[in-house]
Amino acid sequence: MSEEGKAEKFGRIALWIATVAFGLLMIVAGANKFTQPEMWTDYFTTWGYPAAFAYLVGGLEVMGGLALFVPRLATYAGGMVAVIMGGAAVTLIMNPGTLGPPTIPLVNVIAFAAIAYFRRGQRWTS
């Protein structure tokens, strides 16, 4: 196998590792909004959002995390979850000390945007 072929294979493996890791994290984070609804609805209302918004965000996080595992959907899912994580980062910046620093959502924005970018050639175009 050529050096170029090895690098391409390594890139595919690294992309799948990132996809699995961040996809699972997003599924767990979204599911958590359903398994611990009192905690999350309290956070969301403290931040100025309707309590039901926690369920919407949780559902989108679960769907986005699952869709990352489908290469034809991963670009769209990564973009959607990156936007959600951007909103989470802004929320934590505007409400310091309520849940933690915005560092984790900001890292997630970068990771999901990277997954979306590197899957762009496989996206569903019709």
Side-chain angles (χ1 to χ4, degrees), residues 26 63 80 84 126:
M26 194 50 40
M63 288 188 303
M80 177 184 74
I84 292 170
S126 73

Side-chain angles (χ1 to χ4, degrees), residues 1-101:
M1 181 179 287
S2 70
E3 289 300 316
E4 187 176 301
K6 288 179 186 177
E8 186 177 316
K9 182 176 181 179
F10 175 79
R12 282 195 313 269
I13 291 169
L15 180 57
W16 272 110
I17 290 170
T19 299
V20 169
F22 283 94
L24 290 175
L25 277 170
M26 194 50 40
I27 292 166
V28 169
N32 193 278
K33 291 173 181 67
F34 294 97
T35 60
Q36 297 183 356
E38 299 84 17
M39 179 182 82
W40 285 103
T41 55
D42 286 348
Y43 276 130
F44 275 73
T45 55
T46 298
W47 295 328
Y49 303 117
F53 198 57
Y55 299 109
L56 174 65
V57 169
L60 291 173
E61 288 173 342
V62 170
M63 288 188 303
L66 290 171
L68 283 174
F69 297 116
V70 181
R72 291 177 59 136
L73 301 176
T75 293
Y76 307 111
M80 177 184 74
V81 178
V83 169
I84 292 170
M85 290 294 99
V90 169
T91 296
L92 294 178
I93 290 167
M94 301 298 290
N95 298 278
T98 55
L99 188 60

